[in-house]
Amino acid sequence: MPMSLPRSAALIAAVALTTALATPAHADTAGQRQRDFTAAAKEFGVPENVLLGVSYLESRWDTNGGTPSTSAGYGPMHLTDVREAGVATTHHDEGTEDPRGDDARPALHPQAGPAAPPAGLQTVDEAAQLTGQPAETLRTDPAQNIRGGAALLAKYHNGRTGWYDAVAKYSGSTGDAAQAFADEVFETIRTGVARTTDDGQQVTLAAAPETTTPQRPGNPAGVECPRTVVCESVPAPYQELPNDDYGNHDLADRPASQKIDHIVIHDTEGYWDSVLKLAQDPTYVSWHYTIRSTDGLIAQHVPTKDVAWHAGNWYVNAKSVGIEHEGFAAKGTWYTEAMYRSSAKLVGYLARKYGIPLDRAHIIGHDNVPGTVPSTIKGMHWDPGPYWDWSHYFDLLGAPLGGFGLPGSSLVTIDPDFAKNQPAFTGCDSPGTPCAPRGSEAVVLHSEPSDASPLLKDIGLHTDGTPSTMDVADVGSRVATGQQYAVAEVRGDWTAIWYLGQKGWFHNPRGAKVAKPAIGWVVTPKPGLATVPVFGRAYPEPAAYPANVPVQAITPLPYTLSAGQKYSSAGTVGSEYYYAVTFAPADHVVVKGKLKYVQIQFGHRIAFVKADDVRIAPAF
């Protein structure tokens, strides 16, 4: 069923929308984007609300600093130019992470060829012919970009009675996926929306009576998806291979055998067609779903009852669902609204189905998954990266982040203004090169309350003891939107939190807060313990293993949680290990121990501590 906001959040949204609709659209220079939509709609004979609705589903009317989307689209109208955006890298090919993350099997380090972009990602040429503007202008000038989109819609309409088919064609898709895109556009027109764009433009799409009805049929039998999205089945092969090997996932019986605790958000680092071929390769790795950028189409590969090889940590894999999003963590790209909406609907459906809390301790990025042991930390992946808009994503989930605690709380939720928060990352295109200024969900931490002070040290990532860096892939001194941390100290406009055993400082001035007071639970070492070990997986005690299952080592990570420090708790979990190293599922065993762990937010990534080592207390 369609998701709805909590009553309080819905009321706030309704008031905000009503206020915005009551404000003259052209009151000041911040309304130039609105005037551009009006002018282009009139010039090409496109209803203004249709033009606004299409643009919102592509970009939310943003310019994104002239950088391409995850499917090579530019500007408010997402005119595609794959020649300029360039060829993608490949899925799971960077770093040394073993996607399966299980010591009981040889590590998997798959390689794939270059991910060629689809031929259809080149609408800027057609728009250039229709408008007389060069491709570069259409990519970089918002007004001309909107003209280009309007010209394409007018051409696709071609004198038809309604605009539904033209909107569907604009998605670049066909069939159910194109119709789903059109349905979402007209639903947006029906409800209306207003927002300030990433470059400060105030744009309003006034609510209008529904002008069309959904036209697409339901999803095929067997796929696990809500009825409000379009899904297809692209099965990953469960297949025997030579030398007693098999791929590319493990059969299981979740949640009867093991509770599903997490949903892991990934990006593909490759284009749709190439990535789906990898998902069907029995010698490769696997994940449960892939979501397409242009229209939000969802492909399911592995049943959610089974365990996919996606997160680089076997404990997390065995207790999670992995969702890949067509896109790139660092290549100057942004994620389309169509994909955000489709993904949020899928995650909401899965969270309800499996009782997964809608918070950032359970809806995590691949970059939040911990290394299993010290030697694997450096190779862990860091997608979907600092440009994934967690705040907007949780708004779509109906679970807004931040702002629920009292002033002075000892716990905070990281919640910067995405558009205004633009850390100076490097390495998006080449090592050391500054990334294009972009809105980000990431807040960088310093060792002292000063921007001039060094970043924190992450001895798991930087084993030589040097500080972390501003490289876009370096998560060693970075917190993310929605994550919660215990406050260690406040000095003026600077706040310190406990992070990897250190105080991490960030600028948090009144009137421009990047962290909000929170309510929750924190852990600290029990009295008498100077330090407690921190783990990347919650494995059972040795006595829990039956004779036919090798005991898995409980190996601490190279960090310390010391007396006096506090860390946000996501609750107590049981110890489990899923022994699955043979093709025949009859030989698989779920080992459950008496040992209990507490999941904590320890650094950028989650971690686990033994429940017997810590005291859990409320934070207000």
Side-chain angles (χ1 to χ4, degrees):
M1 64 175 65
M3 290 181 294
S4 60
L5 289 170
R7 182 171 297 181
S8 58
L11 179 59
I12 292 170
V15 170
L17 181 58
T18 302
T19 302
L21 297 181
T23 303
H26 314 322
D28 51 43
T29 56
Q32 182 59 49
R33 183 79 32 83
Q34 186 93 45
R35 291 192 286 275
D36 292 339
F37 279 110
T38 301
K42 182 177 180 180
E43 178 183 359
F44 292 98
V46 179
E48 185 174 351
N49 61 358
V50 170
L51 187 61
L52 285 163
V54 169
S55 178
Y56 190 85
L57 253 291
E58 296 283 19
S59 69
R60 291 206 298 159
W61 308 319
D62 287 338
T63 62
N64 288 287
T67 59
S69 78
T70 58
S71 49
Y74 291 81
M77 294 304 300
H78 197 254
L79 299 180
T80 53
D81 189 350
V82 77
R83 287 194 309 266
E84 180 68 18
V87 176
T89 56
T90 51
H91 179 79
H92 283 309
D93 286 351
E94 296 182 358
T96 59
E97 179 187 87
D98 169 19
R100 195 173 190 274
D102 182 14
D103 299 343
R105 278 194 56 166
L108 296 168
H109 298 297
Q111 294 291 318
L121 298 181
Q122 202 60 41
T123 60
V124 72
D125 293 343
E126 192 175 6
Q129 293 177 352
L130 294 170
T131 62
Q133 295 291 327
E136 180 180 3
T137 300
L138 290 169
R139 289 195 307 267
T140 59
D141 184 320
Q144 295 301 325
N145 184 274
I146 293 168
R147 287 188 68 242
L152 287 174
L153 277 168
K155 178 181 179 181
Y156 298 159
H157 181 249
N158 195 26
R160 293 185 178 90
T161 302
W163 284 88
Y164 185 95
D165 290 342
V167 170
K169 183 175 176 61
Y170 195 96
S171 71
S173 306
T174 58
D176 290 355
Q179 292 175 354
F181 177 86
D183 290 345
E184 198 70 42
V185 167
F186 283 99
E187 175 63 17
T188 303
I189 293 171
R190 187 185 68 80
T191 59
V193 66
R195 71 180 295 263
T196 301
T197 66
D198 60 353
D199 57 347
Q201 295 289 308
Q202 298 170 0
V203 183
T204 298
L205 169 58
E210 190 169 358
T211 56
T212 187
T213 56
Q215 298 184 19
R216 64 177 182 84
N219 290 316
V223 297
E224 299 170 275
C225 287
R227 289 176 294 176
T228 51
V229 298
V230 172
C231 285
E232 62 180 18
S233 178
V234 183
Y238 186 70
Q239 184 175 322
E240 281 192 282
L241 302 171
N243 302 317
D244 295 324
D245 196 7
Y246 67 96
N248 61 12
H249 58 281
D250 278 293
L251 302 187
D253 188 26
R254 304 183 308 174
S257 58
Q258 289 182 280
K259 186 178 183 297
I260 298 176
D261 288 333
H262 297 97
I263 296 173
V264 182
I265 303 298
H266 303 256
D267 75 59
T268 60
E269 296 299 320
Y271 290 109
W272 177 261
D273 291 343
S274 299
V275 169
L276 260 60
K277 289 178 182 177
L278 297 179
Q280 298 172 82
D281 182 348
T283 67
Y284 208 66
V285 295
S286 60
W287 50 96
H288 292 89
Y289 298 90
T290 306
I291 304 182
R292 191 159 64 188
S293 174
T294 53
D295 51 19
L297 173 66
I298 300 171
Q300 183 172 9
H301 311 300
V302 177
T304 58
K305 73 177 184 64
D306 295 332
V307 177
W309 304 346
H310 62 97
N313 182 315
W314 184 241
Y315 176 81
V316 174
N317 278 344
K319 298 180 70 63
S320 71
V321 172
I323 304 176
E324 293 277 0
H325 297 74
E326 183 185 17
F328 313 94
K331 301 296 182 183
T333 57
W334 44 279
Y335 299 91
T336 65
E337 179 67 4
M339 186 163 65
Y340 274 128
R341 289 193 171 200
S342 187
S343 178
K345 290 176 180 178
L346 175 62
V347 168
Y349 161 83
L350 293 171
R352 290 189 298 271
K353 182 176 181 178
Y354 293 117
I356 302 171
L358 289 176
D359 59 38
R360 285 286 281 112
H362 297 90
I363 312 300
I364 60 177
H366 194 173
D367 56 336
N368 306 135
V369 176
T372 54
V373 294
S375 62
T376 65
I377 295 173
K378 294 178 78 170
M380 296 298 291
H381 287 187
W382 51 277
D383 54 301
Y387 303 123
W388 177 271
D389 192 343
W390 284 108
S391 180
H392 177 55
Y393 191 59
F394 270 77
D395 286 344
L396 292 173
L397 282 168
L401 299 169
F404 302 111
L406 297 175
S409 172
S410 60
L411 191 69
V412 292
T413 300
I414 306 302
D415 190 23
D417 183 311
F418 183 85
K420 295 178 181 178
N421 182 53
Q422 299 187 2
F425 292 126
T426 63
C428 287
D429 297 310
S430 59
T433 304
C435 299
R438 286 279 329 278
S440 173
E441 53 84 56
V443 174
V444 176
L445 301 178
H446 292 266
S447 54
E448 296 292 340
S450 165
D451 286 327
S453 66
L455 304 187
L456 300 183
K457 296 179 180 180
D458 182 337
I459 59 174
L461 282 176
H462 303 280
T463 54
D464 59 358
T466 56
S468 300
T469 70
M470 287 300 293
D471 187 274
V472 69
D474 188 345
V475 300
S477 189
R478 185 186 306 173
V479 291
T481 295
Q483 292 178 332
Q484 292 189 333
Y485 295 89
V487 175
E489 189 178 349
V490 176
R491 294 188 203 169
D493 288 341
W494 286 79
T495 298
I497 56 174
W498 291 114
Y499 186 97
L500 296 179
Q502 309 156 78
K503 288 183 180 180
W505 292 89
F506 58 91
H507 196 223
N508 194 36
R510 183 176 299 176
K513 295 284 189 181
V514 299
K516 311 292 174 57
I519 297 173
W521 298 85
V522 294
V523 302
T524 192
K526 282 185 175 179
L529 295 178
T531 63
V532 299
V534 179
F535 304 93
R537 50 196 182 185
Y539 276 175
E541 69 279 6
Y545 289 81
N548 63 326
V549 177
V551 173
Q552 300 299 301
I554 303 177
T555 306
L557 300 177
Y559 310 107
T560 56
L561 194 167
S562 299
Q565 299 179 7
K566 297 179 180 179
Y567 292 88
S568 172
S569 166
T572 302
V573 298
S575 53
E576 294 184 13
Y577 172 65
Y578 184 40
Y579 181 62
V581 297
T582 60
F583 180 74
D587 297 328
H588 298 178
V589 179
V590 177
V591 181
K592 297 188 179 185
K594 295 180 180 179
L595 191 61
K596 301 293 184 184
Y597 291 83
V598 180
Q599 179 184 318
I600 62 173
Q601 188 65 58
F602 189 59
H604 186 80
R605 302 180 189 271
I606 63 173
F608 302 92
V609 291
K610 293 179 181 178
D612 288 342
D613 288 343
V614 296
R615 182 175 61 185
I616 304 174
F620 300 101

